[in-house]
Amino acid sequence: MWDLYLVTDPSYQVDLPEFVARAVSGGVSVVQLRDKHADTDSFRAQAIALQQAIPHIPIFVNDCVEIAQELGLHLHIGQLDMPYEQARALLPEEQMIGLTIETMAQWRACVDLGIRLPDVIGLGPVEATATKPDAPEAIGVAGVAEIAQEARGRGVACVAIGGVDERNAKDLAPHVDGLCVVSAIMGAQDPAKAAERLRTMFQESK
């Protein structure tokens, strides 16, 4: 399910539903709608458009718990967004929650909450990335592998994020359940081909 997880980025001027549908046709298996600057109505409209374009694909919304509640979508939150325990209390069991984890300390703090763990964690950034200029220090493949080993041992899916592309896909594949990408697909002229290459590289390197 998690092999290739696409996070959208509004800085790329594309017809989002059509573009994402093409990426899905090439192998994207999960999509996160991320637009920190959109107002609620615009974000809702984008989410509905994606639901209609890719009805068979899990869709996460970034840091918009109200939209997740309203539309029955999954939620992804970062370390500076709503506290994980609050988000988990607000959503029904069938709606998944993803959480950004940047350090082992953050992972262990989540475990120490003593509640249901996230369904998936985004580990990184693997490398420094222009997509998220305020991102913390890169943890590299080794950092991803260390946290993933603990998390996967507790049944939590792990995807690597932050500077993930064809250069490091093979190195990351043995350690995680999937690759989480932004510019590697959003910046591609042919999102289907870009997705197919990344997913093939990931699966062949597992």
Side-chain angles (χ1 to χ4, degrees):
M1 169 182 172
W2 303 106
D3 286 10
L4 189 55
Y5 184 139
L6 172 64
V7 180
T8 68
D9 184 337
S11 66
Y12 293 93
Q13 302 300 309
V14 298
D15 177 337
L16 192 63
E18 188 269 343
F19 186 92
V20 170
R22 288 168 63 198
V24 166
S25 74
V28 163
S29 52
V30 185
V31 173
Q32 180 189 140
L33 175 61
R34 186 178 190 272
D35 188 342
K36 292 288 191 180
H37 303 296
D39 61 30
T40 300
D41 289 343
S42 174
F43 194 88
R44 179 188 295 108
Q46 291 183 72
I48 291 171
L50 282 181
Q51 280 184 301
Q52 294 170 344
I54 50 169
H56 56 298
I57 295 293
I59 300 172
F60 286 73
V61 292
N62 183 281
D63 188 29
C64 288
V65 68
E66 298 87 356
I67 300 297
Q69 289 174 308
E70 177 185 345
L71 301 180
L73 296 173
H74 310 297
L75 177 70
H76 183 88
I77 51 176
Q79 290 293 319
L80 300 179
D81 298 330
M82 172 184 289
Y84 172 71
E85 59 269 36
Q86 183 180 352
R88 187 67 274 172
L90 288 170
L91 292 181
E93 289 293 303
E94 64 270 17
Q95 284 175 251
M96 293 184 284
I97 297 181
L99 179 66
T100 298
I101 295 289
E102 302 147 347
T103 66
M104 183 66 81
Q106 289 174 357
W107 163 249
R108 290 178 177 167
C110 183
V111 172
D112 289 344
L113 291 171
I115 62 174
R116 172 182 163 182
L117 291 169
D119 298 275
V120 60
I121 56 175
L123 296 176
V126 179
E127 298 181 5
T129 171
T131 303
K132 198 172 181 183
D134 59 343
E137 185 177 350
I139 63 174
V141 174
V144 167
E146 182 183 18
I147 304 171
Q149 184 175 11
E150 286 204 10
R152 295 173 82 188
R154 289 180 173 269
V156 175
C158 299
V159 294
I161 188 170
V164 175
D165 56 26
E166 292 185 23
R167 296 173 301 112
N168 51 27
K170 291 182 178 180
D171 292 334
L172 289 162
H175 307 293
V176 293
D177 299 286
L179 305 176
C180 191
V181 301
V182 185
S183 57
I185 289 178
M186 292 298 300
Q189 288 192 333
D190 188 332
K193 284 186 178 179
E196 183 178 11
R197 284 197 304 269
L198 279 165
R199 188 162 184 173
T200 298
M201 289 177 72
F202 177 77
Q203 291 177 335
E204 288 180 349
S205 303
K206 285 294 287 177

Short mmCIF file of all heavy atoms in Angstrom, two decimals, residues 15-56:
data_model
loop_
_atom_site.label_atom_id
_atom_site.label_comp_id
_atom_site.label_asym_id
_atom_site.label_seq_id
_atom_site.Cartn_x
_atom_site.Cartn_y
_atom_site.Cartn_z
N ASP A 15 -2.77 21.14 -13.20
CA ASP A 15 -4.17 20.78 -12.96
C ASP A 15 -4.13 19.60 -11.99
O ASP A 15 -3.88 18.46 -12.39
CB ASP A 15 -4.83 20.39 -14.28
CG ASP A 15 -6.28 19.94 -14.11
OD1 ASP A 15 -6.67 19.52 -13.00
OD2 ASP A 15 -7.03 20.01 -15.10
N LEU A 16 -4.30 19.90 -10.70
CA LEU A 16 -3.96 18.91 -9.68
C LEU A 16 -4.70 17.58 -9.82
O LEU A 16 -4.05 16.53 -9.80
CB LEU A 16 -4.18 19.50 -8.28
CG LEU A 16 -3.59 18.68 -7.14
CD1 LEU A 16 -2.06 18.59 -7.26
CD2 LEU A 16 -3.97 19.28 -5.79
N PRO A 17 -6.02 17.55 -9.94
CA PRO A 17 -6.68 16.23 -10.05
C PRO A 17 -6.18 15.42 -11.25
O PRO A 17 -5.93 14.22 -11.12
CB PRO A 17 -8.16 16.60 -10.20
CG PRO A 17 -8.28 17.96 -9.60
CD PRO A 17 -6.99 18.65 -9.92
N GLU A 18 -6.03 16.08 -12.39
CA GLU A 18 -5.57 15.37 -13.59
C GLU A 18 -4.13 14.90 -13.42
O GLU A 18 -3.78 13.77 -13.77
CB GLU A 18 -5.71 16.30 -14.80
CG GLU A 18 -5.44 15.64 -16.14
CD GLU A 18 -3.98 15.74 -16.58
OE1 GLU A 18 -3.23 16.58 -16.03
OE2 GLU A 18 -3.57 14.96 -17.47
N PHE A 19 -3.28 15.76 -12.87
CA PHE A 19 -1.87 15.44 -12.69
C PHE A 19 -1.72 14.26 -11.72
O PHE A 19 -0.97 13.31 -11.98
CB PHE A 19 -1.13 16.66 -12.15
CG PHE A 19 0.36 16.50 -12.05
CD1 PHE A 19 1.18 16.88 -13.10
CD2 PHE A 19 0.95 15.97 -10.92
CE1 PHE A 19 2.56 16.73 -13.03
CE2 PHE A 19 2.32 15.82 -10.82
CZ PHE A 19 3.13 16.20 -11.89
N VAL A 20 -2.43 14.32 -10.61
CA VAL A 20 -2.33 13.25 -9.61
C VAL A 20 -2.88 11.94 -10.17
O VAL A 20 -2.32 10.86 -9.92
CB VAL A 20 -3.04 13.66 -8.30
CG1 VAL A 20 -3.15 12.47 -7.35
CG2 VAL A 20 -2.29 14.80 -7.63
N ALA A 21 -3.96 12.00 -10.93
CA ALA A 21 -4.51 10.79 -11.53
C ALA A 21 -3.49 10.14 -12.46
O ALA A 21 -3.36 8.91 -12.50
CB ALA A 21 -5.79 11.11 -12.29
N ARG A 22 -2.74 10.96 -13.19
CA ARG A 22 -1.69 10.42 -14.05
C ARG A 22 -0.60 9.77 -13.21
O ARG A 22 -0.09 8.69 -13.56
CB ARG A 22 -1.10 11.53 -14.92
CG ARG A 22 -2.03 12.01 -16.02
CD ARG A 22 -1.53 13.29 -16.67
NE ARG A 22 -0.24 13.10 -17.32
CZ ARG A 22 0.57 14.10 -17.66
NH1 ARG A 22 0.23 15.35 -17.39
NH2 ARG A 22 1.72 13.85 -18.26
N ALA A 23 -0.21 10.41 -12.11
CA ALA A 23 0.80 9.83 -11.23
C ALA A 23 0.33 8.49 -10.65
O ALA A 23 1.11 7.53 -10.55
CB ALA A 23 1.14 10.81 -10.11
N VAL A 24 -0.93 8.43 -10.29
CA VAL A 24 -1.50 7.18 -9.77
C VAL A 24 -1.47 6.09 -10.83
O VAL A 24 -1.17 4.92 -10.55
CB VAL A 24 -2.94 7.43 -9.25
CG1 VAL A 24 -3.67 6.12 -9.03
CG2 VAL A 24 -2.90 8.25 -7.96
N SER A 25 -1.73 6.47 -12.08
CA SER A 25 -1.70 5.47 -13.15
C SER A 25 -0.31 4.87 -13.32
O SER A 25 -0.15 3.74 -13.80
CB SER A 25 -2.17 6.09 -14.47
OG SER A 25 -1.18 6.95 -15.03
N GLY A 26 0.72 5.63 -12.90
CA GLY A 26 2.08 5.14 -13.00
C GLY A 26 2.58 4.39 -11.78
O GLY A 26 3.64 3.78 -11.82
N GLY A 27 1.83 4.45 -10.68
CA GLY A 27 2.25 3.67 -9.51
C GLY A 27 2.12 4.35 -8.16
O GLY A 27 2.40 3.73 -7.13
N VAL A 28 1.74 5.61 -8.10
CA VAL A 28 1.52 6.25 -6.79
C VAL A 28 0.39 5.51 -6.08
O VAL A 28 -0.67 5.25 -6.66
CB VAL A 28 1.18 7.74 -6.96
CG1 VAL A 28 0.55 8.31 -5.69
CG2 VAL A 28 2.43 8.53 -7.32
N SER A 29 0.62 5.17 -4.81
CA SER A 29 -0.35 4.34 -4.09
C SER A 29 -1.04 5.07 -2.94
O SER A 29 -2.03 4.58 -2.40
CB SER A 29 0.35 3.09 -3.55
OG SER A 29 1.51 3.42 -2.81
N VAL A 30 -0.51 6.22 -2.54
CA VAL A 30 -1.09 7.05 -1.48
C VAL A 30 -0.83 8.51 -1.86
O VAL A 30 0.23 8.82 -2.41
CB VAL A 30 -0.44 6.78 -0.10
CG1 VAL A 30 -1.15 7.56 1.00
CG2 VAL A 30 -0.44 5.31 0.23
N VAL A 31 -1.79 9.38 -1.55
CA VAL A 31 -1.64 10.80 -1.86
C VAL A 31 -1.94 11.63 -0.63
O VAL A 31 -2.90 11.36 0.09
CB VAL A 31 -2.57 11.22 -3.02
CG1 VAL A 31 -2.53 12.74 -3.23
CG2 VAL A 31 -2.20 10.49 -4.31
N GLN A 32 -1.10 12.64 -0.40
CA GLN A 32 -1.35 13.62 0.65
C GLN A 32 -1.54 14.99 0.03
O GLN A 32 -0.69 15.45 -0.74
CB GLN A 32 -0.19 13.68 1.65
CG GLN A 32 -0.41 14.67 2.77
CD GLN A 32 0.82 14.90 3.63
OE1 GLN A 32 1.13 16.02 4.03
NE2 GLN A 32 1.56 13.82 3.92
N LEU A 33 -2.65 15.63 0.34
CA LEU A 33 -2.90 16.99 -0.11
C LEU A 33 -2.28 17.95 0.89
O LEU A 33 -2.70 18.01 2.05
CB LEU A 33 -4.41 17.24 -0.23
CG LEU A 33 -4.82 18.67 -0.59
CD1 LEU A 33 -4.27 19.08 -1.95
CD2 LEU A 33 -6.34 18.81 -0.54
N ARG A 34 -1.28 18.70 0.43
CA ARG A 34 -0.59 19.65 1.30
C ARG A 34 -0.61 21.03 0.65
O ARG A 34 -0.11 21.21 -0.45
CB ARG A 34 0.85 19.21 1.56
CG ARG A 34 1.60 20.07 2.57
CD ARG A 34 3.01 19.52 2.81
NE ARG A 34 3.66 20.19 3.92
CZ ARG A 34 4.37 21.32 3.83
NH1 ARG A 34 4.50 21.90 2.65
NH2 ARG A 34 4.92 21.85 4.90
N ASP A 35 -1.21 21.99 1.33
CA ASP A 35 -1.25 23.37 0.85
C ASP A 35 -1.43 24.27 2.06
O ASP A 35 -2.55 24.55 2.49
CB ASP A 35 -2.38 23.57 -0.16
CG ASP A 35 -2.32 24.94 -0.83
OD1 ASP A 35 -1.63 25.84 -0.30
OD2 ASP A 35 -2.96 25.11 -1.89
N LYS A 36 -0.31 24.69 2.62
CA LYS A 36 -0.33 25.45 3.88
C LYS A 36 -0.91 26.85 3.71
O LYS A 36 -1.25 27.50 4.70
CB LYS A 36 1.09 25.56 4.44
CG LYS A 36 1.67 24.24 4.94
CD LYS A 36 1.02 23.79 6.22
CE LYS A 36 1.76 22.62 6.87
NZ LYS A 36 1.14 22.17 8.12
N HIS A 37 -1.02 27.33 2.47
CA HIS A 37 -1.46 28.70 2.25
C HIS A 37 -2.91 28.81 1.78
O HIS A 37 -3.45 29.91 1.69
CB HIS A 37 -0.54 29.39 1.25
CG HIS A 37 0.90 29.39 1.67
ND1 HIS A 37 1.34 30.04 2.80
CD2 HIS A 37 1.99 28.78 1.14
CE1 HIS A 37 2.64 29.86 2.94
NE2 HIS A 37 3.06 29.09 1.95
N ALA A 38 -3.55 27.69 1.49
CA ALA A 38 -4.93 27.72 1.01
C ALA A 38 -5.89 28.00 2.16
O ALA A 38 -5.69 27.55 3.29
CB ALA A 38 -5.28 26.39 0.36
N ASP A 39 -6.97 28.74 1.86
CA ASP A 39 -8.01 28.93 2.88
C ASP A 39 -8.85 27.65 2.94
O ASP A 39 -8.72 26.75 2.11
CB ASP A 39 -8.85 30.17 2.61
CG ASP A 39 -9.59 30.13 1.27
OD1 ASP A 39 -9.95 29.03 0.79
OD2 ASP A 39 -9.82 31.20 0.70
N THR A 40 -9.73 27.58 3.92
CA THR A 40 -10.49 26.36 4.15
C THR A 40 -11.34 25.95 2.95
O THR A 40 -11.38 24.78 2.57
CB THR A 40 -11.39 26.52 5.39
OG1 THR A 40 -10.57 26.79 6.53
CG2 THR A 40 -12.18 25.24 5.66
N ASP A 41 -12.01 26.92 2.33
CA ASP A 41 -12.88 26.60 1.20
C ASP A 41 -12.07 26.07 0.02
O ASP A 41 -12.47 25.10 -0.64
CB ASP A 41 -13.67 27.84 0.77
CG ASP A 41 -14.74 28.22 1.77
OD1 ASP A 41 -15.10 27.36 2.61
OD2 ASP A 41 -15.24 29.36 1.72
N SER A 42 -10.93 26.70 -0.25
CA SER A 42 -10.08 26.25 -1.35
C SER A 42 -9.52 24.86 -1.08
O SER A 42 -9.49 24.00 -1.97
CB SER A 42 -8.95 27.24 -1.58
OG SER A 42 -8.04 26.77 -2.55
N PHE A 43 -9.09 24.64 0.16
CA PHE A 43 -8.52 23.34 0.51
C PHE A 43 -9.59 22.26 0.39
O PHE A 43 -9.33 21.17 -0.14
CB PHE A 43 -7.96 23.38 1.92
CG PHE A 43 -7.07 22.22 2.26
CD1 PHE A 43 -5.71 22.26 1.99
CD2 PHE A 43 -7.59 21.08 2.85
CE1 PHE A 43 -4.89 21.17 2.28
CE2 PHE A 43 -6.78 19.99 3.16
CZ PHE A 43 -5.43 20.04 2.87
N ARG A 44 -10.80 22.56 0.87
CA ARG A 44 -11.90 21.59 0.77
C ARG A 44 -12.18 21.24 -0.69
O ARG A 44 -12.37 20.07 -1.04
CB ARG A 44 -13.15 22.14 1.43
CG ARG A 44 -14.36 21.18 1.35
CD ARG A 44 -15.65 21.82 1.83
NE ARG A 44 -15.60 22.15 3.23
CZ ARG A 44 -15.51 23.39 3.72
NH1 ARG A 44 -15.44 24.43 2.88
NH2 ARG A 44 -15.49 23.59 5.02
N ALA A 45 -12.21 22.26 -1.55
CA ALA A 45 -12.49 22.03 -2.96
C ALA A 45 -11.42 21.15 -3.60
O ALA A 45 -11.73 20.25 -4.40
CB ALA A 45 -12.59 23.36 -3.70
N GLN A 46 -10.15 21.38 -3.23
CA GLN A 46 -9.07 20.55 -3.76
C GLN A 46 -9.23 19.11 -3.28
O GLN A 46 -9.01 18.16 -4.05
CB GLN A 46 -7.72 21.09 -3.30
CG GLN A 46 -7.33 22.42 -3.90
CD GLN A 46 -5.94 22.82 -3.44
OE1 GLN A 46 -4.94 22.24 -3.86
NE2 GLN A 46 -5.86 23.81 -2.57
N ALA A 47 -9.59 18.95 -2.01
CA ALA A 47 -9.74 17.60 -1.46
C ALA A 47 -10.87 16.84 -2.15
O ALA A 47 -10.74 15.65 -2.48
CB ALA A 47 -9.99 17.68 0.04
N ILE A 48 -11.98 17.52 -2.37
CA ILE A 48 -13.11 16.88 -3.04
C ILE A 48 -12.75 16.51 -4.47
O ILE A 48 -13.09 15.42 -4.96
CB ILE A 48 -14.34 17.80 -3.00
CG1 ILE A 48 -14.86 17.92 -1.57
CG2 ILE A 48 -15.45 17.28 -3.92
CD1 ILE A 48 -15.94 18.98 -1.37
N ALA A 49 -12.03 17.39 -5.15
CA ALA A 49 -11.61 17.11 -6.53
C ALA A 49 -10.71 15.88 -6.58
O ALA A 49 -10.82 15.05 -7.50
CB ALA A 49 -10.90 18.32 -7.12
N LEU A 50 -9.82 15.74 -5.60
CA LEU A 50 -8.96 14.55 -5.56
C LEU A 50 -9.77 13.30 -5.26
O LEU A 50 -9.53 12.24 -5.86
CB LEU A 50 -7.88 14.72 -4.50
CG LEU A 50 -6.68 15.60 -4.86
CD1 LEU A 50 -5.69 15.64 -3.70
CD2 LEU A 50 -5.99 15.11 -6.13
N GLN A 51 -10.73 13.39 -4.35
CA GLN A 51 -11.58 12.24 -4.05
C GLN A 51 -12.27 11.73 -5.32
O GLN A 51 -12.41 10.53 -5.53
CB GLN A 51 -12.66 12.61 -3.02
CG GLN A 51 -12.19 12.64 -1.59
CD GLN A 51 -13.34 12.92 -0.64
OE1 GLN A 51 -13.99 13.96 -0.74
NE2 GLN A 51 -13.61 12.01 0.27
N GLN A 52 -12.72 12.67 -6.14
CA GLN A 52 -13.42 12.29 -7.37
C GLN A 52 -12.46 11.74 -8.42
O GLN A 52 -12.84 10.84 -9.19
CB GLN A 52 -14.17 13.51 -7.91
CG GLN A 52 -15.29 13.98 -7.00
CD GLN A 52 -15.88 15.32 -7.42
OE1 GLN A 52 -15.29 16.06 -8.19
NE2 GLN A 52 -17.06 15.63 -6.88
N ALA A 53 -11.23 12.26 -8.43
CA ALA A 53 -10.26 11.83 -9.45
C ALA A 53 -9.63 10.48 -9.14
O ALA A 53 -9.31 9.72 -10.07
CB ALA A 53 -9.17 12.89 -9.59
N ILE A 54 -9.41 10.20 -7.86
CA ILE A 54 -8.73 8.94 -7.47
C ILE A 54 -9.50 8.27 -6.32
O ILE A 54 -8.98 8.11 -5.22
CB ILE A 54 -7.26 9.20 -7.06
CG1 ILE A 54 -7.15 10.35 -6.03
CG2 ILE A 54 -6.42 9.53 -8.30
CD1 ILE A 54 -5.78 10.47 -5.40
N PRO A 55 -10.73 7.84 -6.57
CA PRO A 55 -11.59 7.32 -5.49
C PRO A 55 -11.07 6.05 -4.83
O PRO A 55 -11.48 5.72 -3.71
CB PRO A 55 -12.93 7.07 -6.20
CG PRO A 55 -12.56 6.89 -7.65
CD PRO A 55 -11.41 7.81 -7.89
N HIS A 56 -10.17 5.34 -5.50
CA HIS A 56 -9.68 4.06 -4.98
C HIS A 56 -8.35 4.19 -4.25
O HIS A 56 -7.79 3.19 -3.81
CB HIS A 56 -9.50 3.08 -6.14
CG HIS A 56 -8.61 3.58 -7.23
ND1 HIS A 56 -8.92 4.71 -7.98
CD2 HIS A 56 -7.41 3.14 -7.71
CE1 HIS A 56 -7.95 4.92 -8.85
NE2 HIS A 56 -7.02 4.00 -8.70
#
